[in-house]
Amino acid sequence: MESDSKLSHLNEKGETKMVDVSSKNITRRQAIARGQIRMKISTFEAIETGNTPKGDVLGTAKLAGIMAAKQTANLIPLCHPLPLHKIEVNITGDQTIPGYIIEAKVITKAETGVEMEALTAVSMAALTLYDMGKAIEKSMIIENIHLVSKTGGKSGNYST
């Protein structure tokens, strides 16, 4: 395999490697990710009214998302550890789903982007919602976790 391969996470021998970002410029980078969790209306209403066995479901899920973003490099093998300047997790109830839309915004000034951090925040917030609601319902569905937008960096801006 050639050393100038377009597969940036492989070395000349085809082995996995972490990309060297040391020659990239430090720029402001932002990523927004979104996902949702669907549940029965009775589960949604229990969470909305605070009538759950495990306490503050939404507050705990937001905190879990923030904490997860900060741990992304420990969870995903080839992610770079980044200084995160802002992590915002919003969880919005939507009775038409029924369930919650989870959105995370992550900002840094670094050599590489924060897409994985935003996606990790959404994923962990959704998993925490599931964990805290599973005593009421085990059939909840986590779905549609995706990158909404990203700004900064060599590849430019992206938006769905």
Side-chain angles (χ1 to χ4, degrees):
M1 180 169 276
E2 296 178 31
S3 62
D4 64 341
S5 169
K6 295 199 185 278
L7 301 175
S8 61
H9 285 80
L10 298 178
N11 68 14
E12 305 80 31
K13 297 178 185 176
E15 302 164 331
T16 303
K17 69 169 185 166
M18 188 171 187
V19 174
D20 180 1
V21 297
S22 62
S23 63
K24 294 173 87 178
N25 291 329
I26 293 174
T27 61
R28 183 182 188 279
R29 297 159 189 265
Q30 174 180 297
I32 298 173
R34 188 177 297 140
Q36 69 182 38
I37 183 167
R38 282 192 292 132
M39 58 194 62
K40 295 176 184 172
I41 191 70
S42 57
T43 306
F44 176 77
E45 289 170 352
I47 292 170
E48 284 293 291
T49 60
N51 190 20
T52 61
K54 292 192 176 184
D56 182 7
V57 175
L58 300 176
T60 304
K62 284 182 184 184
L63 185 57
I66 292 167
M67 292 174 66
K70 296 184 338 184
Q71 293 299 314
T72 301
N74 293 323
L75 299 170
I76 301 175
L78 300 178
C79 283
H80 294 85
L82 297 173
L84 303 181
H85 294 71
K86 180 177 184 176
I87 306 165
E88 185 177 309
V89 176
N90 293 301
I91 302 173
T92 306
D94 186 336
Q95 203 166 11
T96 64
I97 297 174
Y100 292 91
I101 297 168
I102 304 158
E103 187 171 278
K105 176 166 77 172
V106 181
I107 299 172
T108 190
K109 281 188 179 178
E111 297 89 350
T112 191
V114 286
E115 297 93 337
M116 296 311 300
E117 287 73 8
L119 289 162
T120 299
V122 169
S123 299
M124 191 55 65
L127 288 169
T128 300
L129 275 164
Y130 183 92
D131 180 53
M132 294 192 71
K134 71 183 181 208
I136 301 168
E137 177 188 352
K138 291 180 179 31
S139 62
M140 291 177 281
I141 299 171
I142 296 168
E143 60 190 1
N144 199 21
I145 296 172
H146 63 284
L147 182 67
V148 173
S149 65
K150 76 123 194 133
T151 60
K154 184 179 175 182
S155 66
N157 298 343
Y158 166 84
S159 182
T160 55

